[in-house]
Amino acid sequence: QVQLVESGGGLAQVGGSLRLSCAASVSGRIYSSHFMGWFRQAPGKEREFVAGIRWGTGKPYYADSVKDRFTISRYTGDNTVDLQMTSLKPEDTGVYYCALNRGGYETTARTYDVWGQGTQVTVSS
């Protein structure tokens, strides 16, 4: 069973940058057909798709709200997925989760099979 652990959250100022990382345990296997996603959840709001990447091809997908500001990358050698966040805005604040979807590309949280514990990102003005 794959387990996911996020790291790299913290406090940033508006316009600043943060890099999140998600490490998958080697006890489970990530297949080329799988899809890795980053979601975020702000207080009182639903969990929303931020970015995702096809494990096999590395093709990225982004929510419109983060396009051209965030970059997702995957490293198959050490089973990690990073999210580089730049030009941060206060509305980027929330708990960021890494998740695995065995069925492929999806933006709906309930379709994902494995979740990390989340890491807090706070953007202050």
Side-chain angles (χ1 to χ4, degrees), residues 14-55:
V14 171
S17 301
L18 282 174
R19 188 177 185 93
L20 306 183
S21 186
C22 173
S25 64
V26 295
S27 59
R29 182 173 175 181
I30 304 177
Y31 291 88
S32 59
S33 59
H34 291 171
F35 189 83
M36 298 295 293
W38 280 98
F39 287 77
R40 66 187 179 193
Q41 188 165 21
K45 295 190 176 182
E46 293 188 354
R47 196 168 295 188
E48 64 172 351
F49 176 82
V50 174
I53 192 165
R54 293 188 185 276
W55 192 254

Side-chain angles (χ1 to χ4, degrees), residues 14-122:
V14 171
S17 301
L18 282 174
R19 188 177 185 93
L20 306 183
S21 186
C22 173
S25 64
V26 295
S27 59
R29 182 173 175 181
I30 304 177
Y31 291 88
S32 59
S33 59
H34 291 171
F35 189 83
M36 298 295 293
W38 280 98
F39 287 77
R40 66 187 179 193
Q41 188 165 21
K45 295 190 176 182
E46 293 188 354
R47 196 168 295 188
E48 64 172 351
F49 176 82
V50 174
I53 192 165
R54 293 188 185 276
W55 192 254
T57 64
K59 181 177 180 179
Y61 298 81
Y62 299 97
D64 288 342
S65 60
V66 306
K67 202 168 292 183
D68 299 326
R69 298 190 298 121
F70 290 11
T71 302
I72 187 170
S73 305
R74 60 89 169 99
Y75 305 93
T76 58
D78 57 3
N79 283 354
T80 58
V81 179
D82 289 355
L83 185 68
Q84 178 67 47
M85 306 185 294
T86 64
S87 302
L88 286 165
K89 303 176 180 179
E91 51 263 44
D92 294 320
T93 295
V95 178
Y96 281 69
Y97 298 90
C98 174
L100 168 70
N101 193 312
R102 295 190 177 97
Y105 170 50
E106 285 283 352
T107 61
T108 305
R110 59 177 171 80
T111 67
Y112 281 69
D113 304 291
V114 182
W115 290 86
Q117 82 287 352
T119 185
Q120 176 70 44
V121 170
T122 303

